[in-house]
Amino acid sequence: MLIWFTGSVFPILIDISSISKNVAALFNFTYTLVCHSDPNKLFCLDSNCSIVCSRCLGIYLGAAVTSMFTLFIKTIDIRSVKPLFAVSAIMLIEVISYNVGFYSYNKFTAILTGLLFGSCCFLYIRTGLEKLIAELKK
Amino acid sequence: VKKYLSSFVAGFGAGVLQIVPVAKSFSCCLILPIASYLALVLDRKANNNLGRIDFKKGAIIGLLTGLYASVFGSSFEILITLITKNNDLVVAYPELMKLIAEFPLGQSMIDQSQMMLESVVEDIKQYGFSFLYTLAVVVNNLFVNTIFGLIGGLIGVQIINSKIPKDNNE
């Protein structure tokens, strides 16, 4: 997850002109498969922008941070799905509010709601994968 | 085949939504996981299974839903391109040419990329088909849909199982 997140912000982290041009093109192509990458919604520092939109950036950041925090926890077992529904609802409300014109697009709100969703979603994916592996080992 | 009919139905639905203009923006992250979840629900209803679902089954149904969605989504996309001789790539062509020119690549690579894009767009405009475009659509859909289908399957199992007491394994 950390590698995937780092890839999404690599134009901010390093000087794009200093790396292989083929690698830069490959990065752009890979991330546009999973994000619309609308130029107006990219997260920018100075003139360097992320490859993915602010919301996707938040999702990947949340998943990367959570994966780092839970790296040394052997198993995660979340029984209730209420936290997942709660963070999904928050993100959905934000998306709908923006689309119906209640407020204009805010990159930081998008990152924040994405961050919450990404963190929570990662825990469920990890739980699912752990249980899948356990079932396959039986 | 009957065993995974639910994946077929949900995958077909997701494949159709992948070509609907506004809905296709959410295809990977929203439609595919929801389709996998619906496939699991349909499978339970079809088999009259009221017990907990195995993660293995959830993963298989999720993967198959993604696979079917990529097959249908790609087929519809290619078919519509063939009939209309127009698609998103043709519409975005002038912008893409500008984008490639601005990209920090060597001039020879920019020229090659623009020539390749031009030939793809010309083929689509003339014949409604481009091998390179078809390959890109199929590979992209296959890669993205199967991953998000699997994720949807694994989370779907947890959503369904959370509503069932642990000792109920009917």
Side-chain angles (χ1 to χ4, degrees), chain B residues 13-81:
Chain B
V16 171
L17 286 174
Q18 272 183 17
I19 53 157
V20 175
V22 181
K24 71 177 170 188
S25 312
F26 308 104
S27 67
C28 73
C29 325
L30 205 64
I31 293 171
L32 253 300
I34 290 173
S36 294
Y37 170 71
L38 287 177
L40 284 169
V41 173
L42 283 175
D43 182 72
R44 272 165 61 82
K45 294 213 172 189
N47 296 319
N48 209 15
N49 176 15
L50 302 171
R52 296 171 74 83
I53 308 174
D54 291 343
F55 278 86
K56 201 160 77 178
K57 189 170 189 178
I60 292 170
I61 287 182
L63 270 175
L64 281 175
T65 306
L67 202 66
Y68 283 129
S70 60
V71 168
F72 286 118
S74 306
S75 305
F76 293 142
E77 175 84 42
I78 293 160
L79 193 69
I80 288 172
T81 304

Side-chain angles (χ1 to χ4, degrees), chain B residues 85 87 89-91 93 96 116-126 130:
Chain B
K85 294 182 179 173
N87 60 20
L89 189 72
V90 175
V91 173
Y93 173 65
L96 280 171
M116 199 169 73
L117 187 65
E118 195 182 340
S119 75
V120 168
V121 170
E122 280 307 312
D123 281 348
I124 291 170
K125 279 181 179 171
Q126 203 171 348
S130 159

Side-chain angles (χ1 to χ4, degrees), chain A residues 21-22 28 33 124 131 135, chain B residues 55-56 103-104 109 158:
Chain A
K21 283 140 189 171
N22 290 342
N28 270 295
L33 290 179
Y124 287 91
K131 288 185 176 174
E135 276 178 16
Chain B
F55 278 86
K56 201 160 77 178
F103 208 70
M109 203 167 167
Q158 291 173 72

Side-chain angles (χ1 to χ4, degrees), chain A residues 19-81:
Chain A
I19 62 158
S20 162
K21 283 140 189 171
N22 290 342
V23 173
L26 184 72
F27 268 77
N28 270 295
F29 175 74
T30 307
Y31 284 93
T32 49
L33 290 179
V34 289
C35 178
H36 54 69
S37 304
D38 184 340
N40 300 319
K41 294 178 178 176
L42 301 181
F43 179 76
C44 301
L45 278 178
D46 297 327
S47 57
N48 300 319
C49 297
S50 59
I51 305 174
V52 293
C53 72
S54 299
R55 195 179 317 282
C56 288
L57 185 74
I59 292 172
Y60 300 143
L61 176 66
V65 169
T66 313
S67 70
M68 291 302 288
F69 274 120
T70 57
L71 199 60
F72 301 104
I73 299 171
K74 203 174 176 185
T75 52
I76 297 170
D77 189 10
I78 309 171
R79 303 277 166 88
S80 172
V81 286

